[in-house]
Amino acid sequence: MHGLINRSLQNFVQDVYGPEVWTDVVARAELEFDEFEAMLTYDDDLSFSVLQATCDQLSKPREVLLEDLGTYLVTHPNTWRIRRLLRFGGADLIDFLLSLDDLADRARLAVPDLVLPQIHVISGAGDGARYILRCEEVGSGMEYIALGCLRAMADDYGALAMAQLMDPLDDADTSPRIEVTLLSTKFAAGNRFELTGEVH
């Protein structure tokens, strides 16, 4: 797994719960180092071991922890670069959702060897206010991170939307899918965002 993903988990624990908790996670996971290098690649088993150690240390289910991580990536001041990358997707939540087809490619422009799961967007399903996001990757838990990001991005845009995971289509297609129901694009004043400059 790319070190940037591992480092994001480390930063999440340190920023939200404190450096002492991360030290406990390192000990629980029996890591031979104290921190991840963002530009290295780590064995998936090691990454999942650290994730499980974090869940155990915080007494949180994996799904809840990953969703919290997704929210952190959008809302915490230390992750403003990620928020900017996402906000470049569009002027409102609809534009943002429709831009997610290209998110993996945009991320590679910033970090060439970072491989994110490809997301396919089905727009306007049903009454036109329902969007289905289908993630190609199965079993990594990325859909829970995406769920946290989506809910935080709706707030960031000032939109009112519901996002939830859907059941698999069938035994042959277990790709994670997220349903986003858009109730209002202008429910509240969104957070300030400018194309130039560092804005938190």
Side-chain angles (χ1 to χ4, degrees), residues 79-157:
T79 59
W80 64 271
R81 290 180 179 85
I82 296 175
R83 174 182 174 259
R84 282 184 60 77
L85 175 68
L86 295 174
R87 283 295 297 257
F88 270 113
D92 59 25
L93 185 63
I94 293 176
D95 287 345
F96 167 73
L97 291 172
L98 295 177
S99 77
L100 291 177
D101 279 316
D102 303 322
L103 179 60
D105 293 332
R106 280 189 282 136
R108 275 195 295 273
L109 288 175
V111 185
D113 58 344
L114 176 62
V115 179
L116 293 180
Q118 189 67 46
I119 296 175
H120 302 287
V121 182
I122 303 171
S123 63
D127 60 3
R130 187 166 155 261
Y131 298 79
I132 307 298
L133 314 180
R134 181 179 179 274
C135 182
E136 283 188 354
E137 189 167 327
V138 178
S140 68
M142 286 290 186
E143 66 270 26
Y144 296 103
I145 298 176
L147 192 62
C149 284
L150 284 168
R151 290 173 174 165
M153 287 301 294
D155 289 342
D156 202 71
Y157 277 110

Side-chain angles (χ1 to χ4, degrees), residues 20 31 42 51-52 57 62 80 88 94 118 160 193:
E20 298 84 3
L31 286 181
Y42 296 86
L51 174 60
Q52 187 58 53
Q57 185 66 36
R62 181 169 172 260
W80 64 271
F88 270 113
I94 293 176
Q118 189 67 46
L160 180 61
F193 177 72

Side-chain angles (χ1 to χ4, degrees), residues 2-106:
H2 198 285
L4 194 59
I5 297 174
N6 291 297
R7 185 62 185 235
S8 295
L9 176 62
Q10 175 188 331
N11 291 343
F12 164 66
V13 173
Q14 291 175 324
D15 288 342
V16 176
Y17 297 97
E20 298 84 3
V21 174
W22 175 249
T23 299
D24 293 338
V25 169
V26 168
R28 186 183 285 266
E30 299 181 349
L31 286 181
E32 297 179 354
F33 49 86
D34 295 331
E35 59 182 38
F36 286 102
E37 294 292 338
M39 292 296 105
L40 296 181
T41 300
Y42 296 86
D43 184 81
D44 284 354
D45 288 342
L46 183 146
S47 300
F48 287 121
S49 174
V50 173
L51 174 60
Q52 187 58 53
T54 305
C55 293
D56 294 341
Q57 185 66 36
L58 297 175
S59 300
K60 284 196 172 192
R62 181 169 172 260
E63 295 81 3
V64 173
L65 181 77
L66 290 175
E67 187 174 335
D68 289 347
L69 173 58
T71 301
Y72 160 84
L73 292 174
V74 173
T75 61
H76 198 278
N78 290 345
T79 59
W80 64 271
R81 290 180 179 85
I82 296 175
R83 174 182 174 259
R84 282 184 60 77
L85 175 68
L86 295 174
R87 283 295 297 257
F88 270 113
D92 59 25
L93 185 63
I94 293 176
D95 287 345
F96 167 73
L97 291 172
L98 295 177
S99 77
L100 291 177
D101 279 316
D102 303 322
L103 179 60
D105 293 332
R106 280 189 282 136

Side-chain angles (χ1 to χ4, degrees), residues 165-184:
L165 286 171
M166 303 175 68
D167 293 329
L169 287 175
D170 51 49
D171 292 339
D173 186 0
T174 59
S175 300
R177 294 178 303 142
I178 298 174
E179 178 186 68
V180 180
T181 303
L182 183 60
L183 303 176
S184 173

